[in-house]
Amino acid sequence: MAFFGLFSKEKKEKLNQGLEKTKTSLFSKISKALIGKSTVDDSFLDELEEILISSDVGIGTTLKVIERIQQRVARDKYINTSDLHTLLRNEMVNLMEENAIQPSLSKDFTSIGKPYVIMVVGVNGVGKTTTIGKLANLFRNEGKKVVLGAGDTFRAAAVEQLRIWSERSGVGFIAHGMNTDPAAVAFDAVKKGVEEGADVVIIDTAGRLHTKVNLMNELSKIKRVVAKIIPEAPHEVLLVLDASTGQNAFEQARQFTAVTDVNALALTKLDGTAKGGVVIGIADQFKIPVKYIGVGEGIDDLQLFNKTEFIDSLFKS
Amino acid sequence: MFESLSSKLEKAIKTLKGQGRITDINVAETVKEIRKALIDADVNYKIAKQFTDNVKAKAMGEDVINSISPGQLMVKIVNDELVAHLGGDKQDINLSGSPAIILMSGLQGSGKTTFSGKLAGYLKSKGLTVMLAACDVYRPAAIEQLRVVAEQIKVPVHLDTETKDPVKIANDAVQKAKEIGIKVLIIDTAGRLAVDTEMMNEISRLKSSLNPSEILFVVDAMTGQDAVNTAKAFNDVLNFDGVVLTKMDGDTRGGAALSIKSVVNKPIKFIGTGEKLDAIDLFYPQRMAQRILGMGDIVTLVERAQNIYDKEEAERLHKKLTQDKFDFEDFLNQIQQIKKMGNIKDLVSMIPGVGKAIKDLDISDDAFKGIEAIIRSMTPQERKNPDIINGSRKKRIAAGSGTELPQVNQLLKQFEDMRKMMRTMNKMQGSGKGMRMPLGR
């Protein structure tokens, strides 16, 4: 309470103005009683906990964030609402920060020889094929030459689905039909990419639950086969995660990484009400950057991931 | 081993004396753990809180039996409530009408098309004639996918690549089904987000035009916190009849099931358990509850303890304890009780946190054998009154039990320590207030 005297009237007014702006967010609910205290009050932390967990951030990561906030507040004291907002956002951005460089489409190709091979993996129904369709379009719009490999030879009509996407964006397409060896498809797609001087080869794979050992081993095989043509390939193993998936996404990341060294994530279906907060914990724990987000069914509805925007979106109702 | 036995006994005594009932305090920690477990399983934050609070309120004052803790009992009660809640009013799918129309709904990638095929195959195997209708006119090759699925299970399918109007396709399918005398028509629809008003209107039009006997909401078992929003939004528009949980063959704990059930109170009718078209199963609340809670070991432990629990014996023991008459007879009985609960290693490993630690440890079921042998080599008089055991008696007991003198001494010493501890506890209880004596009523 003694700290209250340290605040000038002016400062308080400023603070009130600040409160106005964020009225609809979590921060409006932080009582002014917070000011000048060296701890954040429980009701704020409860609120924060609820918001984070409700966004699928998960208990572990949530507690980590809360702990860091408490530490910072204890150290810095005199914190006002907008400071707290910034602090919170920074702490969360930091969780994802270790993931090095922000992805840039063109950067990927200059340092690495042609073609840049992307292998797309994930469980059933997350939107792998759709993401590939959009990715192909994205690269095509940048003037890149693209080849798609229809490696989902299992799900009914998956090859057909990818073929339609390849036609929409006018890119190359390799398929062996249904129930063929996906590794052979991948091999031929990369081979075609090399022969025709393509910039990017994207290989689709069948959705598989990470608990199916044989199917997971099949992925390693596809990866090995591709490396026979280009030793560094696939340069990118893109794990596609559905934003509405809960804590199971952790296991998905763990298992797919174990067999294919996943080095990029795509988060799909963010145009719904699901927040996809689970990727924060995943990015933190596995040090894998989120590269793309899917925000709709249209061919242009794929965006580069932006950490700050993403984290801010967690706090919008 | 003796040590662990005495600590077990100590726990039992504690249960008898201080924690005989579930109270706010003695289950607080457990309730927190249960809540965490539920949230980890993707049960919605609010619902996890509500659910545990409700169950706790219900469980207050419940008698805790010997050899389990209030916390463990609490886990069991939560489990039972989960089963009851998830199971609820079990209903089969409604196949009235000719044809009976089943409308599928759900988000993108939840598995509607695959499940439509599975359901068609399932109903066909029950001797019904089934037809599929392909009303996903948006996703590339979705119609083709359903055609292939239909071919695999050998049921007819209605499709129309000429029109983009799902309502027309569906109505044509109904007409066709009537003509060829089909009993059940399953309408596959496009995946849609609940916030997509246009698409939600479309499925609403499908509903009002078809008047289906059954609307199923298909949801991925891996769904997280958002399950409540989606389920509610779909239910608001469609008032669906049942839920289908897909991709249950993975390792997801499937907490979405509880969230959805709590929000819309509709029965979960089927689960999808694999990619093959016969991988369809009915929903079993018992299995689901254990999967969500992930504390099946404790539940089993409590069940076993409840099965062997002998109330009269416990009361007799309690009386003896309070009168400081606990003797080797009682001790032997306690050992038998513990042994009845099953394999010692199993038992110990069921205690949360212990399981992993003793995984590689070899605990023999014979662990009690030495102790038992020593006690059994005592005369009834010696068992009732250990104080009379002198040097020569000890020698005889050691010889009779095939043990050595130091082992007999150790047992006697530890038994004496235990009695001292009980005496202290009795005194504490005599003076302290607020200590419950549940079995001394």
Side-chain angles (χ1 to χ4, degrees), chain A residues 49 56 124 210 212 244 269, chain B residues 108 224-225 247 249 251:
Chain A
E49 180 184 284
D56 289 314
N124 317 64
H210 49 284
K212 309 266 161 92
S244 65
K269 309 181 197 174
Chain B
Q108 290 92 344
Q225 298 285 321
K247 307 181 203 173
D249 47 329
D251 56 359

Side-chain angles (χ1 to χ4, degrees), chain B residues 89-100:
Chain B
D89 44 333
K90 205 173 165 352
Q91 284 164 12
D92 285 332
I93 51 169
N94 180 357
L95 294 177
S96 61
S98 107

Side-chain angles (χ1 to χ4, degrees), chain A residues 46 49-50 53-56 59 63 123-125 154-157 160-161 164-165 168 207-212 215 242 244-248 251-252 269 271-274 297, chain B residues 35-36 39-40 42 44-46 107-110 138-141 144-145 148-149 152 191 193 195 220 222-226 229-230 247 249-253 273-276:
Chain A
D46 284 352
E49 180 184 284
E50 180 173 346
I53 288 177
S54 301
S55 312
D56 289 314
I59 292 179
L63 294 182
V123 299
N124 317 64
F154 180 80
R155 183 174 56 89
E160 180 63 9
Q161 187 181 346
I164 296 172
W165 277 110
R168 281 188 189 171
R208 64 203 72 215
L209 290 177
H210 49 284
T211 47
K212 309 266 161 92
L215 292 176
D242 183 328
S244 65
T245 304
Q247 298 307 299
N248 194 250
E251 252 345 276
Q252 294 173 22
K269 309 181 197 174
D271 45 332
T273 41
E297 291 190 302
Chain B
R35 195 172 291 166
K36 263 192 191 169
I39 292 171
D40 258 340
D42 291 323
N44 179 270
Y45 181 81
K46 280 200 182 110
L107 298 179
Q108 290 92 344
S110 54
Y138 307 97
R139 183 165 59 88
E144 174 65 9
Q145 184 182 348
V148 173
V149 165
Q152 283 169 358
L193 290 167
V195 288
D220 187 328
M222 297 181 276
T223 307
Q225 298 285 321
D226 193 52
N229 302 328
T230 307
K247 307 181 203 173
D249 47 329
D251 56 359
T252 180
R253 305 249 309 269
T273 56
E275 294 191 58
K276 302 252 162 64

